[in-house]
Amino acid sequence: MRFLVFIAIVIWNIHSPTLSYAATRSDDIFAVPEGRMNSTTYDYKVKKTIYNSKTRVMFVAGLEGTGHHGLSEMFRACNKLPSSICTPNSKIAYNMEQCPEGILVEHQQTAEVDCKGLFSGNDAPSAYKYITGIVNELKRIKSTDTTVRLHVVGLQLGQEYSKYAMLSYPNFNFDSKALSHPDVFVMAKLAESAGIDFRIIVMLRGSEAILVSTISRGFGFNQEPMVLVDNAAVLYSQLKLIDRRFFFCLEYEKIPTLTKKEKDELRMFLHPKLEIDTMLKLFEVSSNTKRLDEEMGNSAPYHIHQLEARQFLIRKLCRSKY
C-alpha cells in the first residue's frame, strides 16, 4: 500500500506544473507555472469569483475626455447624501499631496516631487514596488470594512476633492503621457487575490467630442489624437484580459436619458443601495459645440476615424454577453 502511494506521488510530481522560484513567494500573484509562459493553452484571463452585497470597490475606466468630471459630480452627491455609501479611496488611487500614498499614477503634477507608482510609464521597478501597497489596502478593506460601502477609485470626491486625481486613459500631461495610464487587468487580479468585489465602469463617448474636449483644453498638445488612439487600444486589450462580469459600459451622451431598466441595471451592478436617480440628476452633458476641424483643420476626419475604429472594438466587447 505504501509503495502504491509513493508511486502516485512520483507520477503527480512528474505531470503537475512546477512553479519557478519567484512563484514560491507568497506575494507573487503574477507567477506563471514553469513551462507554460509561452504556451497557447495558459489562460491569463482574470475570472470574477468574488461577489459581496455589502462592500465593493469601483473604478472608472475611460479615455481622457469621456466624462470623468460628470461622474465625479454624481458620486460627490452620493458622498453627501444622508444615506451615503460612497467613499473616496486615495490609498488605492492617488493623493496628489501625499506622494507615497499615491500608488496608481506615476508622477505628481508638480515637478518638485518625483512620485512613482504602479502605472509608471518609464519606471518598471516602481510599478511592481507598489503592488504590495495596493494589496495591503484591499486586504484592509476586506478585514475591517463590514459596512455597506462603495469605495470609489479614480474620481474626485470628498471635501477636498481637488487633491484627488481622476485616473483616465491617459492621465496628466508628461513626456511619456501615452504610457501613463491605469491597468484594470492588474487591478482585477489584485482585487480577486485579496477577496474584494471589484467593479469597473467603462466610459465611452463620440470620438469627435472626445478630441474636441481634450484638444480645446490643451491636453497632450499636438500628440493628443495619437495618444488617445494608443490608449483606446490599451484599454481594449486590458478589458479582453478580464471577465466580462467585471465591467459595465456607459455612453456619455446617453446617461441623462437612461431608461428605468438601464438605471436599475447600473444600480445593481455598482451597489444595490445606491440612490441612483438622485445621482443621475447631477450628471450634465457638456455644452461644448465646437467641431474638430476648428481645432485641427483638414486632418480632423483622419483622427476621428482612427479613434472611432478603436472605440468600435471596445463597444463590441461591451455588447458581448456576461
Side-chain angles (χ1 to χ4, degrees):
M1 184 65 178
R2 288 180 180 177
F3 176 74
L4 292 175
V5 171
F6 171 76
I7 293 297
I9 292 171
V10 170
I11 292 172
W12 184 87
N13 284 329
I14 291 171
H15 291 283
S16 63
T18 55
L19 297 181
S20 62
Y21 173 75
T24 62
R25 297 180 304 180
S26 61
D27 65 338
D28 200 336
I29 302 162
F30 299 91
V32 176
E34 229 175 58
R36 303 290 297 278
M37 185 64 76
N38 299 313
S39 170
T40 56
T41 60
Y42 185 75
D43 189 3
Y44 285 88
K45 194 164 190 172
V46 184
K47 293 177 175 59
K48 183 163 180 60
T49 63
I50 307 297
Y51 295 90
N52 190 317
S53 61
K54 282 189 174 182
T55 306
R56 296 175 179 177
V57 172
M58 69 153 281
F59 180 76
V60 177
L63 294 176
E64 200 168 44
T66 53
H68 287 77
H69 289 275
L71 284 184
S72 286
E73 290 295 333
M74 281 175 52
F75 284 95
R76 212 171 289 154
C78 171
N79 195 36
K80 292 177 180 178
L81 288 170
S83 58
S84 170
I85 65 166
C86 302
T87 183
N89 192 305
S90 61
K91 287 186 178 180
I92 295 177
Y94 174 68
N95 188 322
M96 291 161 63
E97 292 186 0
Q98 304 285 332
C99 179
E101 197 173 285
I103 51 184
L104 290 198
V105 178
E106 82 293 4
H107 288 299
Q108 203 166 14
Q109 242 178 337
T110 54
E112 295 81 17
V113 182
D114 192 19
C115 204
K116 297 177 179 178
L118 175 59
F119 301 136
S120 176
N122 55 8
D123 192 332
S126 290
Y128 184 77
K129 173 184 174 184
Y130 288 102
I131 285 175
T132 302
I134 295 176
V135 171
N136 288 343
E137 174 59 13
L138 290 172
K139 286 182 175 178
R140 182 198 68 77
I141 293 171
K142 169 76 174 174
S143 62
T144 64
D145 194 345
T146 57
T147 59
V148 175
R149 185 78 61 197
L150 180 65
H151 292 262
V152 182
V153 179
L155 291 178
Q156 293 177 339
L157 307 181
Q159 265 190 326
E160 300 176 34
Y161 58 82
S162 61
K163 292 195 302 185
Y164 299 96
M166 287 190 281
L167 306 181
S168 55
Y169 285 68
N171 197 74
F172 295 150
N173 283 320
F174 293 107
D175 293 336
S176 57
K177 180 174 180 177
L179 301 177
S180 300
H181 54 71
D183 192 328
V184 291
F185 168 59
V186 171
M187 275 300 299
K189 201 168 183 70
L190 296 179
E192 281 288 310
S193 72
I196 288 290
D197 188 346
F198 180 56
R199 309 289 176 114
I200 304 162
I201 292 293
V202 176
M203 287 295 292
L204 293 156
R205 189 180 184 183
S207 294
E208 181 171 12
I210 291 173
L211 289 162
V212 168
S213 172
T214 55
I215 293 170
S216 64
R217 288 183 285 166
F219 292 174
F221 310 107
N222 292 331
Q223 293 183 334
E224 184 71 5
M226 294 176 287
V227 168
L228 286 169
V229 167
D230 181 81
N231 270 246
V234 167
L235 177 55
Y236 171 71
S237 71
Q238 292 175 8
L239 293 173
K240 282 284 286 183
L241 283 168
I242 63 176
D243 196 318
R244 177 65 183 84
R245 290 172 293 181
F246 275 112
F247 58 93
F248 187 101
C249 303
L250 281 177
E251 291 277 353
Y252 173 84
E253 291 88 352
K254 295 179 181 178
I255 290 176
T257 58
L258 290 175
T259 64
K260 184 182 184 304
K261 180 185 176 184
E262 290 167 335
K263 289 177 184 178
D264 286 341
E265 288 173 351
L266 175 60
R267 177 178 58 83
M268 291 304 295
F269 174 80
L270 287 174
H271 201 292
K273 297 295 184 182
L274 276 184
E275 296 181 43
I276 200 70
D277 284 311
T278 303
M279 293 167 61
L280 285 169
K281 287 175 183 176
L282 294 174
F283 185 89
E284 293 184 6
V285 173
S286 170
S287 58
N288 192 339
T289 57
K290 285 185 178 180
R291 291 173 53 85
L292 191 61
D293 53 18
E294 296 174 32
E295 302 286 341
M296 304 206 70
N298 294 335
S299 67
Y302 168 78
H303 294 301
I304 293 170
H305 184 275
Q306 286 282 75
L307 184 55
E308 195 58 31
R310 274 64 176 190
Q311 285 208 101
F312 165 78
L313 293 174
I314 299 174
R315 287 188 171 97
K316 190 174 180 181
L317 197 58
C318 288
R319 288 194 295 269
S320 63
K321 293 181 180 179
Y322 285 95

